[in-house]
Amino acid sequence: MDILKKIEMFREEEEKLRWEGTFGDYLELLKEKPWVAQSAHSRVYNMIRDAGIEEEKGTRKYNFFSHQLFGLEEALEKLVEEYFHPAAKRLDVRKRILLLMGPVSGGKSTLVTMLKRGLEQYSLTDRGSIFAIKGCPMHEDPLHLIPHHLRQDFFDEYGIRIEGNLSPLNMMRLEQEYGGRIEDVLVERIFFSEDKRVGIGTFSPSDPKSQDIADLTGSIDFSTIAEFGSESDPRAYRFDGELNKANRGMMEFQEMLKCDEKFLWHLLSLTQEGNFKAGRFALISADELIVAHTNETEYRSFISNKKNEALHSRIIVMPIPYNLKVSQEERIYEKMIHESDVADVHIAPHTLRVAAMFTILTRLKEPKKGDVDLVKKMRLYDGQLVEGFNSADVNEMKKEHPDEGMSGIDPRYVINRISSTIIRKEVPSINALDVLKSLKDGLDQHPSITQEQRERYLNYISIARKEYDNIAKKEVQKAFVYSYEESAKTLMDNYLDNVEAYCNKAKLRDPLTGEEINPDEKLMRSIEEQIGISENAKKAFREEILIRISAFARKGKRFDYNSHDRLREAIQKKLFADLKDVVKITTSTKTPDEQQLKKINDVVARLIDEHGYNSTSANELLRYVGSLLNR
């Protein structure tokens, strides 16, 4: 279907959603769908919840954020459960400005943009539908028409609380256009749109000398004063400030802490009382979520200023740190590259992962426990198994440094260096070594890195390089194993037969001679030693394997190559160790014979077909691993 047809279909769908009726009709609608009268905070919370929630290792994962924000599950859970959820329940939290605080390029702006775009889409759904007094520039809640003395009766009948007063403009329209007949006031369904300034506003501070408070609260239309005769006539006022237009939805207050004080005072009554002062009118009611974002330095400066004390208690600060998981950082780079013009350049496997390792190392704080180094910590944070540690140890590490993730290298720097690599190399393929070199070269040009940090970061580049060396060797060795899975399965079956005989104090039968033989201790130890199982620990490890096989059997499952992570790792390492000499000879020979050449071509083909390389990156990998094995 072409794009014009899709646009036409969207327009037709939106037209079908439109609704208009009297206030009496709206009350009938409320009986069927009481949720349409929800508050702005409640609408945001329900939007996030309706997208789906998944439990993952004790942390709630919100599907609403999962396609754009990576590795921030804990921060987002805190944001939703400690701010949006209680605010949706009309608790006092909703009377606070939400201030997202975190380092540059940490996802704050992306989060706010997602909320704005999400509300636009949600307002098109049945659960997110919003209704307003027709013709009102502030899209006012129709329930404001209910007089105060009847609001308790309304709650008893409908179960809906009403907050806020009718605006001066609608109060005048009620008398003049409808003769005070509330039931006849026209109500319409509205759809949020930042571009059309409906329910979503954005305020950005500029020069304090030239910026006008009217940008927030609207202003008098002097051309109409002659017609209406007074500045206090609401028809002579333009209700077009960001606070007016963001009513019923949300307003993003960019760089709030850089604002002139007079702009911030308007937020005091809006957050606490749900209203603000504009022109020569009584207080104007507004129901909106105000989100601001800042960095830690600006926030510290803000709270140290005694003049701002009144605002301190009206702000809820939500830290949005950098992601600390290598696999999630890799997804951030993939997303940023996909959105760029270099998406067609071949990036060799593990390139982004190695760059992510360096980045995460710069963000981690040194562990206080002596038996953990930064690399182990990096792996544990990423959900990898590290012998001798469990999830309780990971939680303990996270508590050691509450500010972890608030500093370090940002994703934009890494993407800038990857882009630089692509432009400089002028080939359709880059690998991990290219990117590590570019990251290293770029440290000298980074404006905010001290000499001490530079030396530490250079060390992290060396660590990331060592990690890549191990990955590269495994990748090539794996590709050299003909029918790798079958070889691994055969080796594992052989090992399991020997373990079973060992644990049951039984003998094995030789498949060729048929005679009974003892379990092959040499074979078992050659595999167990690959993952550091000591002589003293071998019996416990073998018994654990046997227990695992029994547990699988009881559940009717088959124990296979992927059923035990550590055993799989041991089998892989054993296969690789046996192949090391073959790999070394084949990759380092400058004039390979026909058999060696065939093997190299087979390996290149396997790297391309099964591991995601192209011919350039596969050959570069082989040459590099050959040099590593010959050192």
Side-chain angles (χ1 to χ4, degrees):
M1 190 186 300
D2 67 17
I3 193 69
L4 291 176
K5 187 69 178 170
K6 288 181 179 177
I7 290 169
E8 185 186 345
M9 282 182 66
F10 176 77
R11 192 166 55 241
E12 288 171 0
E13 288 298 318
E14 194 177 66
E15 203 56 44
K16 287 178 190 172
L17 294 174
R18 295 196 184 280
W19 184 94
E20 187 178 306
T22 63
F23 183 64
D25 297 331
Y26 177 65
L27 291 183
E28 288 301 314
L29 184 72
L30 274 187
K31 287 180 179 177
E32 291 176 46
K33 303 176 179 180
W35 64 81
V36 301
Q38 63 190 322
S39 68
H41 288 83
S42 176
R43 191 172 291 108
V44 173
Y45 174 67
N46 287 328
M47 170 186 74
I48 294 168
R49 195 186 61 180
D50 288 354
I53 305 170
E54 294 174 20
E55 291 279 347
E56 196 174 277
K57 294 181 181 176
T59 302
R60 285 188 164 188
K61 186 179 175 184
Y62 298 92
N63 295 340
F64 179 82
F65 301 109
S66 61
H67 302 300
Q68 291 283 326
L69 294 170
F70 308 112
L72 296 179
E73 289 80 13
E74 289 171 14
L76 291 172
E77 182 178 11
K78 188 178 179 186
L79 170 66
V80 175
E81 295 305 325
E82 294 186 18
Y83 182 78
F84 286 129
H85 193 177
K89 297 292 185 188
R90 296 181 183 271
L91 292 168
D92 218 44
V93 171
R94 72 196 167 106
K95 298 178 179 179
R96 308 285 182 273
I97 299 165
L98 174 62
L99 180 63
L100 306 175
M101 181 187 70
V104 295
S105 191
K108 303 184 298 296
S109 299
T110 302
L111 197 160
V112 175
T113 302
M114 287 185 76
L115 291 174
K116 292 197 288 190
R117 295 296 84 80
L119 279 172
E120 288 176 344
Q121 292 300 313
Y122 196 58
S123 68
L124 295 167
T125 68
D126 188 49
R127 287 270 300 159
S129 51
I130 313 128
F131 296 80
I133 295 172
K134 188 176 181 185
C136 172
M138 283 184 61
H139 331 294
E140 189 166 5
D141 186 347
L143 294 182
H144 286 180
L145 290 161
I146 304 282
H148 278 272
H149 66 278
L150 294 176
R151 289 187 178 182
Q152 184 57 47
D153 294 341
F154 180 83
F155 176 73
D156 294 340
E157 186 177 346
Y158 286 83
I160 298 169
R161 295 187 190 279
I162 304 172
E163 293 179 346
N165 302 312
L166 200 60
S167 67
L169 180 62
N170 284 322
M171 202 173 286
M172 177 179 277
R173 289 178 63 207
L174 176 62
E175 295 303 320
Q176 295 186 359
E177 293 178 28
Y178 299 100
R181 290 181 58 80
I182 289 169
E183 62 271 29
D184 292 342
V185 174
L186 288 177
V187 175
E188 64 178 349
R189 182 172 178 180
I190 61 169
F191 306 104
F192 284 165
S193 168
E194 185 174 19
D195 294 338
K196 295 176 183 176
R197 303 189 75 213
V198 178
I200 296 173
T202 302
F203 182 80
S204 183
S206 57
D207 182 359
K209 293 175 185 174
S210 61
Q211 189 150 33
D212 190 350
I213 197 71
D215 294 345
L216 267 185
T217 60
S219 60
I220 295 165
D221 185 352
F222 289 101
S223 66
T224 62
I225 291 176
E227 181 186 349
F228 299 120
S230 168
E231 289 183 18
S232 59
D233 189 312
R235 292 169 298 177
Y237 198 83
R238 289 194 296 257
F239 293 89
D240 61 356
E242 293 305 315
L243 293 181
N244 308 108
K245 293 300 181 183
N247 186 34
R248 312 294 300 287
M250 69 174 278
M251 189 188 83
E252 177 187 8
F253 213 121
Q254 294 179 347
E255 304 296 345
M256 186 184 89
L257 305 187
K258 289 179 181 172
C259 253
D260 190 83
E261 289 172 18
K262 66 181 180 182
F263 290 90
L264 298 180
W265 300 135
H266 272 280
L267 302 181
L268 289 175
S269 65
L270 178 60
T271 51
Q272 194 62 34
E273 309 299 335
N275 51 43
F276 64 93
K277 191 82 173 79
R280 297 179 180 180
F281 307 116
L283 291 167
I284 296 174
S285 296
D287 170 32
E288 54 199 86
L289 161 69
I290 296 179
V291 187
H293 40 92
T294 187
N295 59 50
E296 197 169 2
T297 307
E298 280 179 357
Y299 178 68
R300 300 290 169 221
S301 171
F302 174 76
I303 59 172
S304 64
N305 187 344
K306 295 291 182 185
K307 285 184 179 180
N308 299 322
E309 279 185 346
L311 266 173
H312 294 173
S313 61
R314 289 172 171 85
I315 291 174
I316 281 195
V317 181
M318 282 289 165
I320 306 293
Y322 282 134
N323 156 59
L324 295 174
K325 297 176 182 175
V326 171
S327 54
Q328 297 299 310
E329 189 72 10
E330 200 177 350
R331 291 183 69 190
I332 293 171
Y333 302 156
E334 285 170 355
K335 175 193 143 193
M336 293 172 86
I337 287 167
H338 180 71
E339 292 168 353
S340 74
D341 290 334
V342 297
D344 57 335
V345 174
H346 175 75
I347 297 174
H350 311 296
T351 299
L352 299 182
R353 183 168 187 79
V354 172
M357 286 178 185
F358 161 71
T359 313
I360 299 300
L361 286 169
T362 69
R363 298 172 185 170
L364 295 177
K365 305 267 185 180
E366 284 289 345
K368 292 180 180 176
K369 289 177 75 174
D371 55 344
V372 188
D373 59 20
L374 273 185
V375 174
K376 279 183 183 174
K377 186 176 185 179
M378 174 181 75
R379 287 177 181 155
L380 286 165
Y381 273 22
D382 202 33
Q384 295 178 41
L385 292 172
V386 176
E387 191 176 356
F389 296 93
N390 55 35
S391 57
D393 296 312
V394 177
N395 292 331
E396 200 176 311
M397 279 182 222
K398 287 177 179 175
K399 290 173 186 172
E400 287 179 351
H401 303 283
D403 62 337
E404 193 167 48
M406 297 301 277
S407 61
I409 291 288
D410 65 280
R412 285 185 195 139
Y413 170 77
V414 178
I415 290 299
N416 289 346
R417 300 316 302 167
I418 290 172
S419 304
S420 172
T421 308
I422 290 167
I423 302 302
R424 191 179 67 248
K425 203 176 177 191
E426 291 183 341
V427 293
S429 174
I430 62 166
N431 59 38
L433 295 175
D434 297 325
V435 171
L436 284 177
K437 184 178 185 306
S438 186
L439 288 170
K440 182 180 177 182
D441 294 343
L443 292 177
D444 292 328
Q445 303 157 26
H446 202 295
S448 59
I449 289 179
T450 63
Q451 184 59 32
E452 183 190 342
Q453 284 176 320
R454 184 179 177 279
E455 288 172 10
R456 199 166 76 249
Y457 291 175
L458 286 173
N459 180 45
Y460 296 152
I461 286 175
S462 299
I463 292 172
R465 168 78 178 267
K466 285 175 188 169
E467 292 293 306
Y468 176 65
D469 289 351
N470 291 329
I471 291 169
K473 282 188 277 191
K474 281 184 182 179
E475 194 89 318
V476 170
Q477 289 166 336
K478 194 185 289 187
F480 261 85
V481 179
Y482 179 73
S483 195
Y484 171 72
E485 292 291 337
E486 283 75 7
S487 304
K489 182 179 177 299
T490 303
L491 183 58
M492 189 192 78
D493 287 344
N494 198 357
Y495 173 76
L496 293 178
D497 287 342
N498 281 279
V499 163
E500 196 171 353
Y502 169 86
C503 292
N504 294 329
K505 295 184 172 57
K507 289 185 180 289
L508 289 165
R509 195 170 293 281
D510 190 301
L512 293 175
T513 64
E515 64 179 306
E516 288 190 335
I517 53 172
N518 290 321
D520 190 340
E521 185 66 24
K522 189 177 177 183
L523 170 76
M524 289 186 286
R525 290 303 296 140
S526 70
I527 291 170
E528 291 156 359
E529 283 169 355
Q530 301 295 331
I531 50 169
I533 304 293
S534 66
E535 185 69 28
N536 293 332
K538 69 180 185 184
K539 186 172 184 290
F541 180 74
R542 292 170 189 176
E543 287 171 348
E544 183 209 324
I545 295 289
L546 213 58
I547 290 166
R548 182 76 66 93
I549 293 170
S550 302
F552 269 69
R554 277 200 309 276
K555 293 174 185 173
K557 294 180 182 177
R558 187 173 179 279
F559 186 91
D560 62 20
Y561 174 64
N562 292 305
S563 300
H564 194 287
D565 291 335
R566 295 190 67 213
L567 179 56
R568 182 176 69 238
E569 184 188 351
I571 297 287
Q572 285 178 357
K573 285 186 172 179
K574 169 64 177 160
L575 281 172
F576 296 160
D578 293 346
L579 272 169
K580 189 171 181 178
D581 291 337
V582 179
V583 176
K584 190 191 293 187
I585 293 165
T586 312
T587 55
S588 62
T589 305
K590 290 181 180 176
T591 53
D593 60 33
E594 192 176 332
Q595 189 179 356
Q596 289 170 337
L597 195 60
K598 184 180 183 303
K599 184 155 285 225
I600 288 173
N601 290 336
D602 285 347
V603 171
V604 168
R606 196 163 286 117
L607 287 170
I608 293 169
D609 295 341
E610 297 174 19
H611 298 270
Y613 290 82
N614 67 2
S615 59
T616 306
S617 59
N619 280 293
E620 285 175 343
L621 178 72
L622 279 176
R623 283 195 295 273
Y624 181 63
V625 171
S627 70
L628 285 177
L629 295 174
N630 279 299
R631 283 177 190 173

